[in-house]
Amino acid sequence: MKIKSIFFSKRSFIKLLYIFLLIMFSNYSQGQTLTTSGTNWTVSIPSITEAGTNYAGTYESATNQIILAVSVPLLLGNAKVSVHYEPNPTWNNALGLAAKRTNNGTTVCALCSITGGLTYLTLTQTDIELFRIQAVLALAAYTGINIQLELTGVSVTIPATAYQSRVVFTVSGV
């Protein structure tokens, strides 16, 4: 009479453990999320009252014009927050739009970090990295990350009309 062993070989055990961990972590790794809030920024440009004068040229929004909340799962580890602008519907290429991060926001993750983006970064129509978040041994969830905008290039040489654009933020793994 043969007796079957109820024990697994070391190799089989490692395979089962790997599969178990993969299933467990796939349930917990929901992916990164990014939520924005804030208000539309309408730049108030004063009228020119004297011939031969020009506009100030540079205007800044409130330091908390846009507020971001970003979550980065442990398995992802690092994430970058990118930004670009989209003409909506018209934009003049002589105008420049820039963004910067004005604070670190808040998090309960003691070992997580947020880096970059503390100086103005000129926006383009393609994504460029604004800042990075690193998650160490925990979910990195940041709230209240303030973003300030800057408009440059305002001049009497630009045709007078309402120019609009949309600022788009993206979070992705590094």
Side-chain angles (χ1 to χ4, degrees):
M1 172 179 205
K2 288 189 174 184
I3 299 175
K4 292 185 177 180
S5 173
I6 59 170
F7 297 103
F8 296 103
S9 70
K10 190 174 185 179
R11 186 179 219 172
S12 296
F13 177 75
I14 290 172
K15 284 182 184 177
L16 283 174
L17 182 62
Y18 177 74
I19 292 169
F20 174 75
L21 290 174
L22 187 63
I23 291 169
M24 284 289 292
F25 283 121
S26 68
N27 289 334
Y28 291 108
S29 63
Q30 297 297 319
Q32 64 275 11
T33 61
L34 182 132
T35 307
T36 61
S37 60
T39 59
N40 289 335
W41 179 38
T42 303
V43 181
S44 179
I45 301 174
S47 300
I48 291 181
T49 57
E50 190 173 322
T53 59
N54 201 347
Y55 296 108
T58 300
Y59 300 89
E60 289 183 315
S61 72
T63 58
N64 63 345
Q65 188 66 44
I66 301 169
I67 303 167
L68 303 178
V70 183
S71 294
V72 179
L74 170 64
L75 288 180
L76 188 58
N78 294 311
K80 66 178 180 177
V81 175
S82 300
V83 62
H84 71 273
Y85 81 90
E86 298 173 350
N88 183 29
T90 60
W91 189 252
N92 188 305
N93 289 333
L95 296 172
L97 194 56
K100 73 176 180 178
R101 179 174 58 88
T102 60
N103 71 351
N104 288 340
T106 57
T107 185
V108 294
C109 180
L111 297 175
C112 298
S113 63
I114 183 170
T115 57
L118 293 174
T119 58
Y120 278 116
L121 181 66
T122 301
L123 304 184
T124 64
Q125 291 186 47
T126 57
D127 270 341
I128 49 177
E129 182 178 317
L130 184 59
F131 61 89
R132 285 184 184 228
I133 293 177
Q134 182 176 12
V136 179
L137 301 176
L139 169 74
Y142 282 86
T143 58
I145 302 170
N146 293 337
I147 305 296
Q148 184 174 21
L149 300 174
E150 178 185 60
L151 177 67
T152 59
V154 178
S155 170
V156 294
T157 61
I158 296 174
T161 190
Y163 296 103
Q164 297 178 23
S165 69
R166 179 187 350 251
V167 178
V168 179
F169 294 90
T170 308
V171 62
S172 60
V174 177

